[in-house]
Amino acid sequence: MIRLHHISYRYPFQKEFAIKDLSLSVPAGTITLVTGRSGCGKSTLIRLINGLAPHHFQGELQGEVGVCGSPNHSCSVGEIATRVGTLFQDPESQFFTLIVEEEIAFAMEWRGLPPEEIKARIHEAAAITGIEHLLEHEILHLSEGEKQRVALASVVALHPKVIILDEPTANLDPEATRELARTLDALAARGTTLFIVDHRLYWLKEVATRVVVMEKGRIAVEGPFSILEDEALRKRHGLREAHVENPIHTLPEPPDDSDGIAVSGLSFGFPKKKPLFRDLSCRLPSGAVTALVGPNGAGKTTFIRILTGLQASKTGRFTLRGTSITPDALLKESAVVLQNSDHQLHMKSVRQEMETAYRFGRQQGPFTVEGVSSHLGLEGLLDRHPQSLSGGEKQRLVIACGLLQGPSLLVLDEPTSGLDGNNMHLFAELMETAADAGISVVLISHDLELLSRVCHFALHLKQKAPHTVERPQRRHAS
Amino acid sequence: MQAYSGTNNTGFIHRLDARTKMAVAAGVSIVVVCLKEPLPLALIGIMGFFFLLSTGRFRLMALAYLFIGLMLITAAGCAIPIIKLLKGSDASYADFLVPFLRIIATMNVVLAMALSNRIQGMLSALKSLRLPLFIYLPTSATIRFIPVFMEDVRQIRESLKIRGFHIGVKSLFLHPILTLRLMFAPLVIRALRSADDLGMAAELKGIGLTTSSTHHNPTRLGFRDAFTLLFWVLLLGLSLGIEFGPLKEMLP
């Protein structure tokens, strides 16, 4: 179905080839997982298969890429798209409309399909992806998992023979991830070939036909999913775990007598919506990493926004180390690392970005520009413009800036969504250092591997009746 | 999602097709340019005021009229002494009022359209106009990104607040270049990235392979739309009749 024959590819103005003499053959109806450390050439491989490289990105291509027997070099990207569908990491970046049904129909309408066939395909794709009940909903109001399914449905409706998925679980909660795995399995059973690039591995254990591990533009290892059981191999190639236990139900609740930040009597709801919190009381201990967990829509981000004064609330009492404090004052003691790193980078160089964070922060704590940049692998990038960095590098930079502010409270929203195994471990070590320095670290994340690796406590927000839930045992000593 | 975020109303104006409101706004905008007399302009302005009133967005209406009122007072401060000084000339208070009546008449219908149209309604209206792909795609992408853009602005302001930068009028005067860079650098980068992503997404969806398009769910104008269009056609015709036609003697 997909055939790459002695492929080498180099981007314009680059000395190094991103892909080097790579040959790969993917049979029809299979699920292939491609993984490897950041920068190993996974994304380039996707672009070669869907035709963006070299048609869109230009560059130098040697060898031949073929899909369904047709060579890519003789077809436009649009023609290749009749055989290959692509699902982006961020589904919102590929939406053209605001209503689910309109979005699924969009490409079919512009391909000139008859209205009756469009309607039939919409319902077929919605049934496969489980979004029949969402067809009339506004896309922007859906959860990340639902948006991902809408994007997948819009690809499935075009009846491609091959579907490429680029880090599809980066923003999904565990339930949505399981649901996606089931949907992909069903698509493969119908004869669709699935080509998945992801750092997270565990969710494909039951469904992946084959695993390809890449290193420096070449295939390092390939075989069944069981090759990922080898810890030495995972370490050698900077991979994540092949099995991950869900730690959410084993992590203990933060103790009532813990030092740090305490919230009591917080009730909040958006106008004309159900209340999110009713008389919520909880603690965020200093010197520990607390996971803020709950399903999408439970109010995790809203809770943090209220806590740091970004969202006004008339109720709730807040204390920091036993002293009453307003959310506005707490913001000055806090560093919040948001999910979208593009919004948080303003300066001309990486060095300036970090130095400004330090200067405008509390100028306290164990972190220095040199130390953090070295630990997060940013020391070679200090003179680069922040917006010229890759996604993973930007993510590491905003985390570095958060640490350099020297906060009492450090909140990180999905900090590891694009990080490979190596960088995830480096990040976890930094969080441990931050906790050791007495900072209250709060993680909002669906990354089970990260939560399992670094968290001491879990604060559960439930969808309808939010409150903290006591858990049976304490996992780590803080 | 409304073009200008607000409450989800289901009143008469909210149930009108976006094309009807676009036609009314376009018609009023053209006719007011042709009119020079206060009476027909005031007639359109008053009807437009009730049109805007039906959106139920009273606070925003008050703000818009307050802004126009401030402009009027500022202009009057300059114009009235000049009119008094030039007693022998043709200048009159009516001439002074005409530009403001034009602004008010246009503002009423354009604001009514913006406050009552859902963005998807505008996208559907654009689609039904059967524009060529190279016009439709960038226009619809621009409209579709209005709520995303507003969310981006909010997030950037928040991220600056988190980092300890205080963006406001004071910082704009004291450090204009820095303030503009802090605010706009992420916005520009985000816009460029979104444009690039959407361009790739359009190619990867095979859009542009054929020159013809179809509509799986075409929208049709209803009775309300026909009634509204007829009303505004008659009103604009009456206004033109008052100024240029047989009703000219109605003018003082």
Side-chain angles (χ1 to χ4, degrees), chain A residues 126-398:
Chain A
I128 292 169
T129 52
I131 55 164
E132 289 153 302
H133 61 294
L134 300 175
L135 284 177
E136 290 176 11
H137 286 228
E138 287 189 9
I139 292 172
L140 296 180
H141 294 168
L142 302 180
S143 69
E144 287 303 316
E146 287 168 338
K147 283 179 193 167
Q148 190 73 276
R149 280 192 276 159
V150 172
L152 184 59
S154 68
V155 173
V156 168
L158 296 170
H159 288 180
K161 295 275 190 288
V162 176
I163 298 179
I164 293 171
L165 299 100
D166 186 5
E167 297 203 33
T169 60
N171 301 313
L172 299 190
D173 64 29
E175 180 49 42
T177 303
R178 275 193 294 275
E179 188 57 47
L180 179 66
R182 281 194 287 270
T183 306
L184 298 184
D185 200 26
L187 280 169
R190 292 163 66 98
T192 309
T193 306
L194 295 149
F195 195 82
I196 305 164
V197 164
D198 209 344
H199 287 302
R200 293 179 191 174
L201 310 173
Y202 69 92
W203 68 284
L204 286 164
K205 186 188 171 197
E206 305 295 336
V207 296
T209 318
R210 194 161 63 132
V211 174
V212 174
V213 180
M214 289 185 68
E215 185 77 55
K216 293 180 181 168
R218 299 176 199 273
I219 293 177
V221 192
E222 62 179 311
F225 192 90
S226 57
I227 62 168
L228 298 173
E229 313 279 350
D230 181 356
E231 193 182 338
L233 179 137
R234 290 201 310 271
K235 206 167 179 178
R236 196 163 57 244
H237 298 290
L239 305 183
R240 288 179 167 235
E241 297 292 323
H243 304 281
V244 178
E245 293 293 325
N246 189 340
I248 290 171
H249 302 299
T250 52
L251 284 169
E253 180 197 9
D256 285 341
D257 57 349
S258 56
D259 197 7
I261 294 155
V263 180
S264 59
L266 176 65
S267 298
F268 181 80
F270 288 105
K272 298 185 180 176
K273 299 242 169 104
K274 283 181 186 173
L276 272 173
F277 313 123
R278 281 198 205 96
D279 200 22
L280 173 70
S281 296
C282 61
R283 281 178 180 271
L284 301 169
S286 56
V289 183
T290 305
L292 187 59
V293 293
N296 285 318
K300 300 187 289 292
T301 305
T302 306
F303 173 71
I304 291 302
R305 283 169 51 76
I306 293 171
L307 190 66
T308 51
L310 296 171
Q311 173 73 53
S313 173
K314 288 176 184 166
T315 63
R317 288 180 301 283
F318 306 90
T319 59
L320 173 64
R321 294 185 209 99
T323 311
S324 185
I325 189 167
T326 62
D328 279 340
L330 191 55
L331 181 62
K332 289 179 185 142
E333 300 269 341
S334 311
V336 185
V337 177
L338 304 168
Q339 206 171 343
N340 192 333
S341 49
D342 281 344
H343 292 149
Q344 300 163 78
L345 300 172
H346 311 269
M347 308 312 284
K348 285 180 182 169
S349 70
V350 171
R351 186 193 305 277
Q352 216 180 10
E353 198 75 54
M354 291 204 279
E355 285 173 351
T356 313
Y358 185 77
R359 202 168 64 245
F360 278 76
R362 294 167 67 229
Q363 302 187 4
Q364 287 178 15
F367 300 107
T368 60
V369 172
E370 289 73 26
V372 172
S373 58
S374 155
H375 197 94
L376 283 173
L378 297 167
E379 71 271 41
L381 307 168
L382 290 175
D383 295 322
R384 288 262 301 271
H385 194 288
Q387 297 288 3
S388 74
L389 304 180
S390 72
E393 288 164 348
K394 279 185 197 171
Q395 215 161 4
R396 280 181 271 153
L397 175 58
V398 292

Side-chain angles (χ1 to χ4, degrees), chain A residues 92-110:
Chain A
E92 265 192 71
S93 63
Q94 65 188 96
F95 291 146
F96 285 85
T97 72
L98 294 168
I99 304 290
V100 172
E101 185 177 339
E102 295 290 328
E103 182 57 39
I104 301 173
F106 181 79
M108 292 188 280
E109 289 180 334
W110 284 101

